[in-house]
């Protein structure tokens, strides 16, 4: 959030021309902004893929009972925001393309708010939010792959498929050293970049081939290649890649801005999708799953606390900005509206979620 705030300050200062000019400058075949969004973010998506694989095979989503409640919540949390956005933009085919922007949850910021609240939030809700966000990330990856791709190149897709097959063979052969996977991962990234599928998908595909040793009474086995790579990437992603992404993409010039622009279809659709759509979808689907007897409410948590978590799910900063850039790559004026909508919706959800969780009685005081 600090990097996003700094981007807003710079974009509306005498340094604005230098800021936007630097992002458009070319380094080799790609601009600086493309290197950030297609290159550095591929590393972020590699980390996302590693987390998804670990949780599904050896973590909070290992069994179907563990997946039901966060799975339903994630489904509702993707459908409802998309429907809210579509309702606002129904009569505008150009802006309707951004339907998926409010469908993603930013796990880092949501868990950050929970960390500030400390013991007021039961551990079961923190586990629930983490699992929900991981499934949500998987949904966002699928959306990007299916709906936000350019014209496809069959030869490049063939090269990507061949490289992925080699990576799979390495995994099956029991190769545990990371350097062959990472070297082939660069090749895979190049093929995917040229194929028309967004290059960040290469990070997720690579992650699925990294070997994972299932822990037996020893969670987070430090000798597992997947855990080694995940722990190595995490600080780089959290403290370098995401701040750079936020600084490069959150800068919006407010020259000529007026309050009525908040009512523009894209801005309004994104903000309402995050604030209204997320809470309605997540809380509604959780309530339905529990009432139908398909799942149990997180242990030690009251319904108001579950509602607070549903509000926090509307914090969609990183992934929402990223999908917005893909949706309106050829419409810079709509990119600006997207950024304002993401910032307004995410900040509203952070504030509302924190207030609900702050003033809801602690679990021990509940019956």
């Amino acid at each position: 959030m600090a990097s996003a705030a700094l981007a807003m300050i710079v974009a509306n200062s005498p340094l604005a021309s230098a800021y936007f000019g630097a992002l458009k400058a070319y380094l080799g075949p790609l601009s600086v902004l493309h290197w950030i969004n297609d290159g550095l973010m591929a590393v972020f998506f590699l980390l996302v893929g590693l987390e998804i694989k670990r949780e599904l095979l050896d973590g909070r989503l290992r069994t179907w009972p563990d997946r039901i409640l966060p799975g339903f919540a994630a489904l509702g949390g993707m459908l409802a925001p998309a429907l809210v956005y579509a309702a606002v933009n129904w009569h505008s085919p150009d802006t309707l393309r951004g339907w998926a922007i409010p469908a993603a949850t930013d796990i880092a910021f949501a868990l950050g708010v929970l960390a500030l609240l400390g013991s007021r939030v039961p551990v079961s809700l923190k586990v629930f939010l983490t699992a929900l966000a991981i499934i949500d990330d998987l949904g966002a990856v699928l959306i990007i792959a299916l709906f936000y791709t350019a014209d496809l190149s069959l030869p490049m897709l063939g090269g990507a498929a061949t490289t992925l097959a080699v990576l799979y063979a390495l995994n099956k052969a029991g190769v545990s050293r990371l350097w062959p996977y990472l070297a082939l991962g660069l090749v895979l990234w190049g093929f995917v970049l040229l194929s028309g599928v967004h290059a960040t998908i290469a990070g997720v595909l690579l992650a699925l081939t990294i070997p994972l040793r299932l822990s037996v009474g020893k969670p987070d086995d430090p000798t597992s290649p997947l855990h080694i790579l995940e722990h190595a990437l995490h600080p780089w992603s959290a403290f370098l890649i995401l701040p750079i992404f936020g600084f490069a993409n959150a800068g919006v010039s407010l020259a000529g801005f007026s309050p009525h622009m908040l009512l523009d279809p894209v801005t309004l659709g994104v903000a309402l999708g995050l604030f209204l759509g997320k809470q309605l979808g997540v809380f509604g689907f959780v309530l339905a799953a529990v009432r139908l007897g398909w799942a149990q409410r997180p242990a030690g948590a009251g319904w108001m606390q579950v509602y607070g978590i549903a509000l926090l799910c509307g914090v969609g900063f990183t992934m929402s900005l990223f999908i917005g850039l893909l949706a309106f790559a050829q419409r810079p004026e709509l990119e600006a509206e997207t950024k304002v909508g993401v910032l307004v919706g995410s900040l509203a959800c952070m504030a509302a979620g924190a207030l609900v969780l702050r003033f809801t009685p602690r679990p021990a005081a509940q019956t």
Side-chain angles (χ1 to χ4, degrees):
M1 292 301 291
S3 67
L6 181 60
M8 291 289 291
I9 292 171
V10 172
N12 294 279
S13 75
L15 297 174
S17 59
Y19 168 77
F20 290 111
L23 292 176
K24 293 176 182 177
Y26 271 75
L27 292 177
L30 301 175
S31 68
V32 171
L33 185 61
H34 277 115
W35 278 117
I36 293 170
N37 292 343
D38 292 8
L40 286 182
M41 286 301 284
V43 179
F44 167 75
F45 273 80
L46 169 59
L47 182 61
V48 168
L50 294 172
E51 291 175 343
I52 290 171
K53 179 174 180 176
R54 173 173 52 79
E55 294 292 353
L56 286 173
L57 297 182
D58 198 33
R60 298 180 180 94
L61 302 174
R62 184 172 62 251
T63 66
W64 281 108
D66 293 331
R67 299 169 187 167
I68 290 175
L69 191 64
F72 265 93
L75 179 62
M78 287 185 282
L79 287 177
L83 291 173
V84 169
Y85 180 95
V88 176
N89 289 269
W90 187 252
H91 298 293
S92 176
D94 289 343
T95 60
L96 191 58
R97 179 172 168 76
W99 61 271
I101 296 170
T105 294
D106 193 309
I107 185 174
F109 290 117
L111 288 176
V113 174
L114 290 189
L116 294 175
L117 294 169
S119 60
R120 290 184 174 277
V121 181
V123 174
S124 63
L125 279 183
K126 297 176 182 178
V127 173
F128 168 72
L129 178 59
T130 303
L132 186 161
I134 288 168
I135 297 173
D136 191 282
D137 281 343
L138 178 59
V141 169
L142 293 174
I143 287 171
I144 292 170
L146 294 174
F147 298 102
Y148 295 108
T149 59
D151 295 331
L152 298 179
S153 167
L154 292 181
M156 293 300 104
L157 282 176
T162 301
T163 307
L164 189 61
V166 175
L167 284 164
Y168 178 77
L170 288 177
N171 182 300
K172 287 302 181 182
V175 176
S176 60
R177 290 183 177 274
L178 283 170
W179 71 263
Y181 294 94
L182 298 180
L184 285 170
L186 287 174
V187 177
L188 178 65
W189 178 84
F191 278 126
V192 174
L193 176 69
L194 297 173
S195 72
V197 177
H198 199 271
T200 51
I201 299 300
V204 178
L205 295 175
L206 173 61
L208 298 180
T209 68
I210 302 297
L212 170 67
R213 294 197 190 99
L214 299 182
S215 56
V216 180
K218 187 180 182 182
D220 204 18
D221 183 354
T223 66
S224 176
L226 186 145
H227 286 105
I228 292 171
L229 183 57
E230 183 180 352
H231 287 299
L233 290 178
H234 194 274
W236 292 99
S237 175
F239 300 114
L240 181 67
I241 293 173
L242 290 184
I244 288 176
F245 173 82
F247 182 73
N249 290 284
V252 179
S253 175
L254 299 179
F257 178 83
S258 62
H260 81 269
M261 291 181 181
L262 294 174
L263 299 179
D264 287 342
V266 172
T267 305
L268 189 63
V270 171
L272 289 179
L274 289 172
F275 186 72
L276 291 180
K278 274 290 185 181
Q279 61 172 290
L280 291 174
V282 172
F283 187 76
F285 272 57
V286 168
L287 185 62
V290 173
R291 290 284 188 261
L292 291 171
W294 296 345
Q296 293 184 336
R297 192 174 65 195
W303 280 117
M304 281 302 295
Q305 290 175 311
V306 175
Y307 175 64
I309 294 296
L311 280 167
L312 287 184
C313 288
V315 181
F317 184 71
T318 305
M319 200 69 81
S320 292
L321 282 178
F322 189 77
I323 293 176
L325 294 171
L326 298 180
F328 302 128
Q330 308 303 321
R331 300 286 300 277
E333 73 280 6
L334 295 182
E335 287 184 11
E337 293 180 15
T338 298
K339 294 172 184 179
V340 173
V342 169
L343 293 173
V344 170
S346 295
L347 288 173
C349 289
M350 287 178 71
L355 285 173
V356 169
L357 292 169
R358 169 66 178 80
F359 292 106
T360 296
R362 296 179 182 228
Q366 295 175 340
T367 58

